[in-house]
Amino acid sequence: ETASEYAVDALRLRKGILGSECIEYAESLSQLGEIQLARAKKAEALNCFSEALKVFSTVEGRSHVTVAQCLEKIGLIYMEQDQHNDATDSLKRAMKIYTENLGGMTSEVASVLRILGKVEVRKELPDNAINYFKQSVDIGKELNDDSSVAASLFEIGTVLERLEKNGEATECFKESLRLARTDTSDCKLIRAKALNRVGGILSEQDDTKEAIKACEKSLTLLTEINLDFGIEAGETCQTLAKIYEMKGEHDTALGHYQKAYNIFLDKSGPRDLSVALALNNLGINSARRNEFDEAFNYCSKSLEIRRDKLGTDHLDTCDTLYNIANIVDEWGKPEEAMKFYSEALESYRCTLGADDLEVANCFQFIGKLHLKKEEDVEALRAYVEALRIYQVQDEEGESMAEILLELGKIYNRSKDYDKGIESLVHSLKIQKRYDVNESVIATTYNEIGVSYAGKQKIPEAKKFFQRAMTGYTNVGKQDTIDYATSMAHYASVLSEEEDYDTGLKLFQEALDIFKTENGEESDEVAGILVKIGIIHNKRVDYEEALKLLTTALKIRSSLHGRDDMKVGETLFEIGKVMEEWGDSDEALDTYSEVIRIVKSHYGQRHTMVAEALKRIGSIHSERGDSNEALQCLNQAIVLQRRLLGEDALETGHTLLNIAAVYDAKSEDDEALASYTDALRIFRTCLGTEDVSVALAMNNIGINQARRKNFEKGIALCSEALRIRKSKLGDTHLDVADSSLNIANIFDEWGKDEKALRFYKEALNLYKAQLGEDDVEVANCLQQIGVIHVNQNDHRRATTCFIETVRIFRIKKGMDCLEVALALFNLGRVYGKTAEYEKALACFTECLRIRQEQLGDAHLDVMAVHRYIEAIERKRRR
């Protein structure tokens, strides 16, 4: 300040005494320019040097070297203002004057070459920059000027460091340190700057101890030459701060960042780019200390400066936008984060091109934000674009693995399991190649298990869920949410195999972990309660199932509100319990509420709407309302085909339901068409040996038998039986059902012995699996009894019908129609064996039941009257 005042006074006096067109006035302007440059007042300095240059260019007796010096200073200022072309023009003019008046191999030329190199660095032309610096080195060596060589080698080192050639850069810095060995201020400054750079490189090599030593030596040297509050000290403070950040010592780092900021602010002014850098670093540091409000303010100020000085499409401006996005994202402000990520994305695109990795990073974070909002479609678009860029750049690493993992999760949720497996397996290969944390690999195993479970490939699913649990255990995470999630998935597939006891045990263990980690009323707890409720529903323990599902519903309604999708999912399972428990009215109301909730979120574009419609259609079918059933089922299949594709597995199951309705209407051709289409889909999705294939073949076989194509019907049902035995074992209930179907066809075909053989096989399986008193046992006994009647084996027939009556009375009550039919058959046998009193007692009881259930005009009632009349006639004889 004092120097400036004296220089201004001298300038005013000289102008007053000598005028403004003399050498002395120009010298005062030049001197004032030097002072203003030292004060970081670049605009004022440029005005002084430019005015001095005009005077020097016109007056007699001027020194050409003085003109060159002005041009050099002007070039330096233009460089710092990023006016690259003007800088290069001034510097080349200066070098030409120096060369013509002093020769080409002078320290002045070497100095200009160094500045020209710095201009090329700012223009991001590293090869040109190194060429200028090497010319400067050659001149320094020719002059035996070690300090000049050291200064130029330092600049070469900075370029190599930018090119990530840290080994070569370090060699340049070390040689610079060796050459600048004298105690002059210039040499100490070179050593200080070189030590700062070495410290930065050492920190990148994780040698923080030596890095700190180098930076502290740098600051000591700067203090010795009274530059402890100069620009170079600010730069070293920045390096030290970053090293302490790496060590996790954020408070220590903050002190160094603040000192750097104060230096830059004092030396360069509030709108300088060095101040913007310092503000940006202070913002990142504040975010690491969870001071998000402060972090946002620092980075916003940095962004303002960078936009003003560099424009919106400069890389530093893009980086600041990206940093702000990260800060507000971590701050828990997703909407603002989305805004800044989107701005950064567009800026990076304009600056670096659409296929740059920074663009991919923005897409990746945008994808994460969409996932938090459960916007899978938008997240999918963002992740797919991020993946495309990584593939274009051939950049295979942890980030790409993370993207593929998230894509796999999204595909699983949308039930596109083939794409899910493709993405997840690709992610897993990259993870193993790059030695990713085993916990992440375990998560990927878990998701692959989900994919296979969705494809009904239970053995593969079990294998991957077990691997996931082992992985979590290996890293000590066996009591965590992740482990519990895999355990719950494993329990689910065991339940699919009807290993309900093990499934319930594992679900309970998972439930205990979720309660410990998240509390009694968390969404995870509700999810497990739903799974356990589903098992109890399958075990026909409807009361316990409803209790668990109702508890889950209360938790989810409390957490998310009555109209949340998870509430809809829980209601769907409650509807299934009501439907299977026999409360069809309550089930219909529940499914309708599910549809309302889902539509409020997605309109018709969700598979659960189709599933609920399918359930409603099945209820109407059981009630005998075929038209209403077909209307609902056809709506369901249209949605499934639109959302999942023509050949989706779910579409196949709905076709089975539609075929069953046509069966009930005796519309055999329509039923056959639906069964056949379902079979084609099951074979496409599941292969030829799946139980769903067996189910479709079984039903087609029954359809053919109804058309009197008994041979074809037997062939189809026999193949269904073979598949079921192969997949489910010889004692499964589905095997019993297949045996019963084959028996029925042989029975209708008139092949009593073969029919009897399969009836007995079915009977034994039903007894073993369901107990002696189950209705399926009674049904088999009834059919076996009829065959014995046909074979005149009245003793065995009587035994079968008496047992049938006993079972139906236990299971369905004294007055059910099944009891009436068994009594009717038993009465016929007694009539054939002339046991008329017993026959009359059976027919009389049968008549009473049928009259009560069917009315006097029913054909079955009339049939009983005819038999009673026949018995009465026989008694009179």
Side-chain angles (χ1 to χ4, degrees), residues 148-161:
S148 176
V149 175
S152 299
L153 284 171
F154 169 78
E155 298 298 342
I156 292 173
T158 61
V159 177
L160 293 170
E161 188 181 359

Side-chain angles (χ1 to χ4, degrees), residues 449-464:
V450 171
S451 298
Y452 279 118
K455 287 171 66 68
Q456 299 295 306
K457 294 191 174 182
I458 303 303
E460 292 88 344
K462 285 167 63 177
K463 178 176 69 175
F464 281 101

Side-chain angles (χ1 to χ4, degrees), residues 5-16:
E5 289 173 7
Y6 281 121
V8 169
D9 286 343
L11 182 66
R12 180 176 51 79
L13 287 168
R14 281 181 165 171
K15 185 176 182 181

Side-chain angles (χ1 to χ4, degrees), residues 8 44 108 123 202 243 322 346 367 397 448 480 491 503 535 594 683 695 732 770 801 815 818 837:
V8 169
E44 293 84 345
E108 289 83 0
K123 290 164 66 176
L202 288 170
I243 296 168
Y322 183 75
E346 292 308 315
I448 295 173
T480 64
I535 290 180
V594 170
R683 281 174 168 166
L695 175 60
H732 196 275
L770 302 175
F801 292 137
D815 297 333
E818 288 85 356
E837 294 301 327

Side-chain angles (χ1 to χ4, degrees), residues 93-143:
R93 286 170 61 195
M95 188 164 67
K96 182 179 179 184
I97 295 170
Y98 283 140
T99 302
E100 290 175 351
N101 289 273
L102 302 175
M105 303 296 282
T106 62
S107 59
E108 289 83 0
V109 173
S111 174
V112 173
L113 285 166
R114 271 196 300 277
I115 301 171
L116 279 167
K118 292 178 184 179
V119 174
E120 296 302 304
V121 169
R122 290 183 176 233
K123 290 164 66 176
E124 297 184 8
L125 297 171
D127 292 338
N128 291 353
I130 288 174
N131 184 46
Y132 279 124
F133 294 140
K134 283 183 175 179
Q135 291 181 54
S136 181
V137 167
D138 292 340
I139 293 172
K141 286 180 178 179
E142 184 69 24
L143 299 172

Side-chain angles (χ1 to χ4, degrees), residues 31-44:
Q31 183 185 47
L32 182 58
E34 293 280 3
I35 296 168
Q36 299 288 39
L37 197 57
R39 295 174 66 202
K41 294 185 176 291
K42 295 169 187 173
E44 293 84 345

Side-chain angles (χ1 to χ4, degrees), residues 254 257-258 261 277-287 295 298:
L254 175 63
Y257 278 136
Q258 286 176 330
Y261 169 70
L277 175 61
L279 286 165
N280 188 70
N281 290 335
L282 281 167
I284 294 170
N285 176 272
S286 297
Y298 278 133

